[in-house]
Amino acid sequence: MPRLTSRAEFEAWRQSILASWDPSKPCITVCGGTGCSALGAKEVTAALGRELKKQGLQDKVDLKMTGCHGFCERGPLVVVYPQHIFYQSVTADDVPDIVSETLIKGNPLERKLYKDLVTGEPIVYEPDVPFYREQHRILMKYNGLIIPTRIQDYIAIGGYQALCKALFEMSPEQVIEEIKRSGLRGRGGAGFPTGRKWEECRRADGDIKYVICNADEGDPGAYQDRSLVEGNPHSILEGIIIGAYAVGAHEGFIYIRHEYPLAVEHITRAAEQAEEYGLLGKNILGSGFDFTFKVHRGAGAFVCGESSALMRSIEGYAGEPRAKRIHATEKGLWERPTVLNNVKTWASVPHIINNGADWFAQMGTETSKGTMVFSLVGKVNNTGLVEVPMGATLRHLVYDIGGGISSGKRCKAVQTGGPSGGCIPERLLDLPVDYEALTEAGSIMGSGGLIVMDEDTCMVDVARYFLHFTMEESCGKCTACREGSRRMYEILERIVHGKGQEGDIERLQEIGTTMINGSLCALGRMAPNPVLSTIRYFREEYEAHIRDKRCPAAVCKDLITYSIIAENCTGCGVCLRNCPQGAITGEKKQVHHIDPSKCIRCGICREVCRFDAIKVE
């Protein structure tokens, strides 16, 4: 097909795609996200292809391997359209039954249906599954419907219409005003108003300007940006082109982790397709607007998620932050005016242009508009990617969508914002999730990581874990971050090993405050958050470690002992046989004994005991 040179040609192409798009035709979608792929989604897709051919259905049923559906806990996921029948944990062996029962006979295959966690009743349709029913999906809406590497699928759901509207119906100033009125704030962490950032760049002096998409998602447990790039890359690209038009940039980049191969492949393919059809490059759709786009792969340094370090990396230097005495919108990449936004921010732009600022602004809170995609992980029943309006409570996320705490235990805390975020205690679960509320609670929105912790979690050990991460990932350029994180980690190491001293808590607070005030970049300023928030809400746990040499959650090995509860022990010998150190002795049907001098506190005896006969204290 020749390159499109006008809006009329684009519209004719779009109509031809819609004419061949039959939403009533049976279609099977298989989640092709990284998680489901690791669990065998490709084998399931291949088996479906073979079975459809075997049954003579290959021309009557469409088969699609899509982006991430979000419910990663239950993958591989399969959805049968147009009924939206939802199957979980599907294997290649299930395929013949799915085809014969569902596609040929029209019946759901009950053994692969999701079962309600409370009633145990099977749920047939995807929109009725609580994990999906309680969400409000905008950015993730089409991840499970389209083939991400096929531009025609994106066009069929309305793709690139926002770009047409911006280029042919709106001036750059009108685009910026629409984004400002929507209330969209940066989804990468700081929450700076997007429209204001664009306006500053638009007004900045200089003929050469840049736009950048920050896809350097490095938070442990966070993968929502990666999944958006994998599942709907054209939506991000369309937002970037619109932003470039608004600020007057003719060159843009996506900075994406090299270890995200599927995401790199999909965004690269999307850019190639957009250029092939005249949606990228010289004179886009005959509008006179030129824009080129490059995929820049990062090497995986956490600090390159910080904007100035990211730009240094693109320039070819080591990824180190620099002082922001002048905004990047005036002097950013190669000292030129630059707009840098996160994946979710760019992906929100086409929706705002298509539906209007008022539509977007009606979602969320007074100061935080629209929706947010979170990666919900940790000690929760339903892990995965969830999208809710800003202002949804943590309780709604953990219990209504996440299905509550796994193993029925009590929720202890939720860590938001990645390794630089804070730990919010269970008593604040009704906190509305928006930028201001999280900051007030001592945490951050970050890029949307949510880690749920249960009562078996040691908050001192959690603080040590996250501080070790930020210490290792510190670029070392400024003293406050480099030395501060190392000194805090050394203190935490002593505390969890039973060598804490009076005054350690105050020293941690003092060093943390110094890091906040003295670090060069936001990563250094936020690194103490896990420590300071756990001291704020769980100070008694620090005191128990330091004064009583006791770990209340029974996690820190140097502060716990294992013993046998005589009245519960049946003498079955399972613990004895599984102990790797030979620390357990006892005769069959007699109470066993653990030798503390040999025990390494690995916890295997507790895991294998069926009679709750192992005590940890």
Side-chain angles (χ1 to χ4, degrees):
M1 181 173 172
R3 181 180 168 89
L4 303 172
T5 59
S6 69
R7 187 180 189 181
E9 288 183 4
F10 172 80
E11 183 59 23
W13 180 48
R14 192 176 77 86
Q15 290 300 328
S16 70
I17 292 171
L18 292 176
S20 62
W21 181 280
D22 181 5
S24 65
K25 184 180 180 182
C27 176
I28 302 178
T29 66
V30 182
C31 175
T34 298
C36 280
S37 293
L39 291 168
K42 291 180 181 176
E43 290 77 8
V44 171
T45 306
L48 279 164
R50 291 192 298 270
E51 190 65 21
L52 290 174
K53 188 175 182 180
K54 179 181 176 182
Q55 300 295 338
L57 297 172
Q58 68 271 25
D59 296 327
K60 299 176 182 177
V61 179
D62 287 336
L63 174 61
K64 292 183 177 182
M65 194 165 188
T66 69
C68 178
H69 293 202
F71 201 177
C72 310
E73 175 81 22
R74 303 304 175 106
L77 306 176
V78 169
V79 182
V80 181
Y81 294 93
Q83 304 96 325
H84 293 257
I85 296 173
F86 175 77
Y87 292 132
Q88 59 171 353
S89 305
V90 177
T91 68
D93 293 339
D94 298 318
V95 166
D97 290 341
I98 290 175
V99 172
S100 62
E101 281 299 313
T102 305
L103 289 172
I104 296 177
K105 297 179 183 176
N107 302 318
L109 184 64
E110 186 166 336
R111 75 169 192 273
K112 303 310 297 182
L113 295 175
Y114 174 84
K115 290 184 174 57
D116 188 281
L117 293 175
V118 177
T119 66
E121 292 295 317
I123 298 176
V124 177
Y125 305 109
E126 183 185 46
D128 296 332
V129 175
F131 179 82
Y132 292 110
R133 186 186 66 210
E134 300 296 331
Q135 296 189 46
H136 186 70
R137 290 189 155 203
I138 294 173
L139 303 187
M140 293 285 294
K141 183 177 180 179
Y142 296 111
N143 258 38
L145 290 172
I146 63 173
I147 297 176
T149 54
R150 197 160 68 186
I151 191 173
Q152 290 85 353
D153 276 26
Y154 184 63
I155 299 295
I157 59 169
Y160 289 107
Q161 284 188 288
L163 176 63
C164 288
K165 183 178 178 180
L167 291 179
F168 296 102
E169 299 177 25
M170 304 171 75
S171 67
E173 291 79 10
Q174 287 174 318
V175 173
I176 291 172
E177 186 59 27
E178 197 72 6
I179 298 300
K180 284 174 65 180
R181 285 204 312 112
S182 74
L184 175 65
R185 296 172 66 175
R187 299 305 197 235
F192 192 83
T194 303
R196 273 182 53 198
K197 182 184 284 188
W198 290 16
E199 187 173 54
E200 288 176 8
C201 189
R202 176 81 192 172
R203 291 176 175 174
D205 294 333
D207 296 329
I208 299 176
K209 299 176 182 178
Y210 300 105
V211 292
I212 300 173
C213 176
N214 183 354
D216 193 63
E217 185 180 48
D219 294 359
Y223 57 104
Q224 60 272 39
D225 288 358
R226 186 196 73 205
S227 294
L228 279 171
V229 179
E230 289 176 352
N232 197 354
H234 281 286
S235 67
I236 299 154
L237 184 58
E238 185 179 9
I240 294 170
I241 302 170
I242 293 171
Y245 168 71
V247 305
H250 297 287
E251 189 173 355
F253 301 84
I254 183 169
Y255 188 94
I256 189 166
R257 295 198 150 220
H258 181 67
E259 62 260 45
Y260 285 0
L262 193 61
V264 171
E265 177 188 337
H266 286 188
I267 190 66
T268 302
R269 182 70 184 126
E272 291 170 350
Q273 291 174 337
E275 184 147 13
E276 179 184 347
Y277 287 99
L279 298 161
L280 196 62
K282 291 282 186 183
N283 194 21
I284 294 173
L285 296 179
S287 65
F289 176 63
D290 305 333
F291 181 68
T292 59
F293 178 77
K294 296 177 182 175
V295 178
H296 188 103
R297 287 177 288 183
F302 181 69
V303 73
C304 285
E306 197 275 341
S307 61
S308 63
L310 185 154
M311 291 181 206
R312 291 288 288 172
S313 179
I314 291 179
E315 291 169 353
Y317 300 102
E320 292 181 343
R322 55 190 170 196
K324 295 180 179 177
R325 299 182 184 91
I326 302 174
H327 289 173
T329 49
E330 296 180 45
K331 287 188 177 182
L333 187 65
W334 288 299
E335 299 290 312
R336 308 285 191 183
T338 304
V339 162
L340 182 144
N341 283 131
N342 169 273
V343 168
K344 296 183 287 294
T345 315
W346 289 120
S348 299
V349 170
H351 296 283
I352 295 171
I353 298 301
N354 275 330
N355 299 296
D358 294 338
W359 166 83
F360 189 83
Q362 70 181 352
M363 297 177 283
T365 66
E366 183 64 27
T367 56
S368 302
K369 304 296 186 183
T371 62
M372 181 68 179
V373 183
F374 295 97
S375 60
L376 183 64
V377 299
K379 303 290 185 64
V380 67
N381 282 309
N382 299 329
T383 60
L385 300 179
V386 301
E387 184 175 2
V388 293
M390 290 282 194
T393 66
L394 289 171
R395 189 179 302 281
H396 179 62
L397 287 159
V398 173
Y399 286 95
D400 298 335
I401 298 174
I405 306 303
S406 53
S407 305
K409 295 189 175 178
R410 185 175 62 83
C411 177
K412 187 172 189 178
V414 178
Q415 206 254 4
T416 72
S420 303
C423 297
I424 298 171
E426 188 271 346
R427 68 176 185 273
L428 295 181
L429 283 186
D430 291 316
L431 191 77
V433 180
D434 69 13
Y435 294 99
E436 283 71 24
L438 289 177
T439 301
E440 180 69 22
S443 189
I444 57 172
M445 180 77 73
S447 63
L450 282 178
I451 302 175
V452 181
M453 305 171 192
D454 69 8
E455 56 191 320
D456 290 340
T457 306
C458 171
M459 303 312 294
V460 182
D461 191 52
V462 163
R464 180 185 66 135
Y465 169 81
F466 285 116
L467 197 73
H468 180 261
F469 178 86
T470 49
M471 177 188 74
E472 290 289 304
E473 294 291 342
S474 171
C475 73
K477 185 173 183 178
C478 72
T479 305
C481 176
R482 182 185 67 244
E483 297 301 322
S485 59
R486 192 161 297 279
R487 298 290 87 77
M488 290 182 80
Y489 178 72
E490 288 171 354
I491 294 171
L492 289 168
E493 270 282 285
R494 282 198 288 103
I495 293 175
V496 300
H497 288 295
K499 299 175 182 176
Q501 303 167 359
E502 287 294 337
D504 276 348
I505 296 176
E506 290 72 22
R507 272 188 285 276
L508 287 169
Q509 291 175 312
E510 183 182 0
I511 299 172
T513 303
T514 301
M515 288 178 66
I516 291 170
N517 294 328
S519 293
L520 180 62
C521 78
L523 296 187
R525 291 193 292 272
M526 293 189 292
N529 277 343
V531 182
L532 298 180
S533 63
T534 49
I535 291 175
R536 176 178 176 180
Y537 296 117
F538 302 96
R539 188 183 183 99
E540 68 281 1
E541 289 200 28
Y542 281 84
E543 292 172 344
H545 282 71
I546 294 169
R547 295 172 184 169
D548 306 332
K549 308 304 177 190
R550 179 175 63 85
C551 175
V555 171
C556 300
K557 289 184 178 181
D558 287 342
L559 301 177
I560 58 176
T561 57
Y562 281 74
S563 60
I564 303 286
I565 303 173
E567 54 267 34
N568 291 355
C569 180
T570 64
C572 68
V574 172
C575 61
L576 184 153
R577 291 194 296 275
N578 283 278
C579 178
Q581 295 299 108
I584 301 177
T585 56
E587 299 296 325
K588 190 172 183 181
K589 296 187 178 178
Q590 299 294 317
V591 174
H592 286 22
H593 173 72
I594 299 176
D595 183 348
S597 65
K598 295 182 179 179
C599 178
I600 60 172
R601 305 165 189 88
C602 63
I604 291 176
C605 56
R606 194 183 193 189
E607 290 176 11
V608 299
C609 180
R610 292 174 294 151
F611 304 101
D612 196 23
I614 306 296
K615 183 166 71 175
V616 185
E617 57 184 354

